[in-house]
Amino acid sequence: MTTARTRIIRTEQDRHAVANELQHLPLNKPWRVVVDFYVPKRSLAQNRLYWLWMTHLGGYLGYSREEMHEELALMFLEPITYTGL
């Protein structure tokens, strides 16, 4: 069994490399190809800094860091709607 591979495409050279890889896949078995937008995750250092800010800002405003996080999420993020539960 072949291991799944992820490719990030940022340049024309990247695009050509992926296209070349697809052209050379053996067709004796089916392949699943998924193309999705790449959204990088925060680094550990960025995450630590974020929670440091939540701690300080929350302390200044009278919230815990988790409450401050929730308040900012309500203000700036789109709500998550669950259906079919």
Side-chain angles (χ1 to χ4, degrees), residues 18 22 25 30-36:
V18 170
L22 289 173
L25 288 175
W31 293 89
R32 177 176 52 158
V33 177
V34 177
V35 178
D36 199 1

PDB file of all heavy atoms in Angstrom, residues 18 22 25 30-36:
ATOM      1  N   VAL A  18       3.761  18.476  -9.299  1.00  0.00           N
ATOM      2  CA  VAL A  18       2.592  17.692  -8.898  1.00  0.00           C
ATOM      3  C   VAL A  18       1.914  17.093 -10.132  1.00  0.00           C
ATOM      4  O   VAL A  18       1.533  15.917 -10.136  1.00  0.00           O
ATOM      5  CB  VAL A  18       1.605  18.540  -8.071  1.00  0.00           C
ATOM      6  CG1 VAL A  18       0.294  17.809  -7.862  1.00  0.00           C
ATOM      7  CG2 VAL A  18       2.223  18.922  -6.740  1.00  0.00           C
ATOM      8  N   LEU A  22       1.308  13.138 -10.914  1.00  0.00           N
ATOM      9  CA  LEU A  22       0.004  12.549 -11.249  1.00  0.00           C
ATOM     10  C   LEU A  22       0.055  11.788 -12.562  1.00  0.00           C
ATOM     11  O   LEU A  22      -0.550  10.718 -12.701  1.00  0.00           O
ATOM     12  CB  LEU A  22      -1.067  13.643 -11.323  1.00  0.00           C
ATOM     13  CG  LEU A  22      -1.493  14.269 -10.001  1.00  0.00           C
ATOM     14  CD1 LEU A  22      -2.437  15.445 -10.244  1.00  0.00           C
ATOM     15  CD2 LEU A  22      -2.139  13.243  -9.101  1.00  0.00           C
ATOM     16  N   LEU A  25       1.397   8.157 -12.126  1.00  0.00           N
ATOM     17  CA  LEU A  25       0.775   7.180 -11.235  1.00  0.00           C
ATOM     18  C   LEU A  25       0.368   5.954 -12.040  1.00  0.00           C
ATOM     19  O   LEU A  25      -0.194   6.078 -13.133  1.00  0.00           O
ATOM     20  CB  LEU A  25      -0.477   7.772 -10.567  1.00  0.00           C
ATOM     21  CG  LEU A  25      -0.266   8.820  -9.490  1.00  0.00           C
ATOM     22  CD1 LEU A  25      -1.605   9.371  -9.028  1.00  0.00           C
ATOM     23  CD2 LEU A  25       0.502   8.254  -8.314  1.00  0.00           C
ATOM     24  N   PRO A  30      -7.184   2.261  -8.451  1.00  0.00           N
ATOM     25  CA  PRO A  30      -7.740   3.616  -8.350  1.00  0.00           C
ATOM     26  C   PRO A  30      -6.953   4.472  -7.360  1.00  0.00           C
ATOM     27  O   PRO A  30      -6.360   3.962  -6.404  1.00  0.00           O
ATOM     28  CB  PRO A  30      -9.172   3.375  -7.863  1.00  0.00           C
ATOM     29  CG  PRO A  30      -9.128   2.075  -7.164  1.00  0.00           C
ATOM     30  CD  PRO A  30      -8.053   1.262  -7.831  1.00  0.00           C
ATOM     31  N   TRP A  31      -6.965   5.773  -7.593  1.00  0.00           N
ATOM     32  CA  TRP A  31      -6.305   6.743  -6.727  1.00  0.00           C
ATOM     33  C   TRP A  31      -7.315   7.793  -6.302  1.00  0.00           C
ATOM     34  O   TRP A  31      -8.213   8.143  -7.063  1.00  0.00           O
ATOM     35  CB  TRP A  31      -5.157   7.447  -7.465  1.00  0.00           C
ATOM     36  CG  TRP A  31      -4.038   6.530  -7.800  1.00  0.00           C
ATOM     37  CD1 TRP A  31      -3.912   5.781  -8.937  1.00  0.00           C
ATOM     38  CD2 TRP A  31      -2.917   6.223  -6.996  1.00  0.00           C
ATOM     39  NE1 TRP A  31      -2.769   5.043  -8.897  1.00  0.00           N
ATOM     40  CE2 TRP A  31      -2.124   5.298  -7.709  1.00  0.00           C
ATOM     41  CE3 TRP A  31      -2.487   6.646  -5.755  1.00  0.00           C
ATOM     42  CZ2 TRP A  31      -0.938   4.787  -7.205  1.00  0.00           C
ATOM     43  CZ3 TRP A  31      -1.293   6.146  -5.257  1.00  0.00           C
ATOM     44  CH2 TRP A  31      -0.534   5.223  -5.973  1.00  0.00           C
ATOM     45  N   ARG A  32      -7.171   8.280  -5.097  1.00  0.00           N
ATOM     46  CA  ARG A  32      -7.994   9.383  -4.623  1.00  0.00           C
ATOM     47  C   ARG A  32      -7.099  10.614  -4.561  1.00  0.00           C
ATOM     48  O   ARG A  32      -6.055  10.612  -3.918  1.00  0.00           O
ATOM     49  CB  ARG A  32      -8.565   9.100  -3.239  1.00  0.00           C
ATOM     50  CG  ARG A  32      -9.377  10.262  -2.687  1.00  0.00           C
ATOM     51  CD  ARG A  32     -10.002   9.932  -1.373  1.00  0.00           C
ATOM     52  NE  ARG A  32      -8.985   9.416  -0.468  1.00  0.00           N
ATOM     53  CZ  ARG A  32      -9.092   9.430   0.847  1.00  0.00           C
ATOM     54  NH1 ARG A  32     -10.175   9.906   1.413  1.00  0.00           N
ATOM     55  NH2 ARG A  32      -8.144   8.960   1.622  1.00  0.00           N
ATOM     56  N   VAL A  33      -7.522  11.690  -5.231  1.00  0.00           N
ATOM     57  CA  VAL A  33      -6.766  12.931  -5.238  1.00  0.00           C
ATOM     58  C   VAL A  33      -7.660  14.006  -4.647  1.00  0.00           C
ATOM     59  O   VAL A  33      -8.778  14.221  -5.103  1.00  0.00           O
ATOM     60  CB  VAL A  33      -6.341  13.326  -6.672  1.00  0.00           C
ATOM     61  CG1 VAL A  33      -5.607  14.654  -6.669  1.00  0.00           C
ATOM     62  CG2 VAL A  33      -5.495  12.220  -7.285  1.00  0.00           C
ATOM     63  N   VAL A  34      -7.177  14.689  -3.613  1.00  0.00           N
ATOM     64  CA  VAL A  34      -7.925  15.744  -2.947  1.00  0.00           C
ATOM     65  C   VAL A  34      -7.127  17.031  -3.077  1.00  0.00           C
ATOM     66  O   VAL A  34      -5.947  17.064  -2.750  1.00  0.00           O
ATOM     67  CB  VAL A  34      -8.155  15.417  -1.452  1.00  0.00           C
ATOM     68  CG1 VAL A  34      -8.872  16.550  -0.754  1.00  0.00           C
ATOM     69  CG2 VAL A  34      -8.903  14.111  -1.315  1.00  0.00           C
ATOM     70  N   VAL A  35      -7.780  18.084  -3.567  1.00  0.00           N
ATOM     71  CA  VAL A  35      -7.140  19.395  -3.665  1.00  0.00           C
ATOM     72  C   VAL A  35      -7.885  20.320  -2.717  1.00  0.00           C
ATOM     73  O   VAL A  35      -9.097  20.438  -2.775  1.00  0.00           O
ATOM     74  CB  VAL A  35      -7.191  19.938  -5.108  1.00  0.00           C
ATOM     75  CG1 VAL A  35      -6.568  21.312  -5.179  1.00  0.00           C
ATOM     76  CG2 VAL A  35      -6.498  18.968  -6.052  1.00  0.00           C
ATOM     77  N   ASP A  36      -7.141  20.960  -1.835  1.00  0.00           N
ATOM     78  CA  ASP A  36      -7.749  21.798  -0.813  1.00  0.00           C
ATOM     79  C   ASP A  36      -6.841  22.994  -0.566  1.00  0.00           C
ATOM     80  O   ASP A  36      -5.641  22.932  -0.832  1.00  0.00           O
ATOM     81  CB  ASP A  36      -7.911  20.989   0.471  1.00  0.00           C
ATOM     82  CG  ASP A  36      -8.916  21.578   1.436  1.00  0.00           C
ATOM     83  OD1 ASP A  36      -9.523  22.623   1.117  1.00  0.00           O
ATOM     84  OD2 ASP A  36      -9.090  20.995   2.511  1.00  0.00           O
TER      85      ASP A  36
END
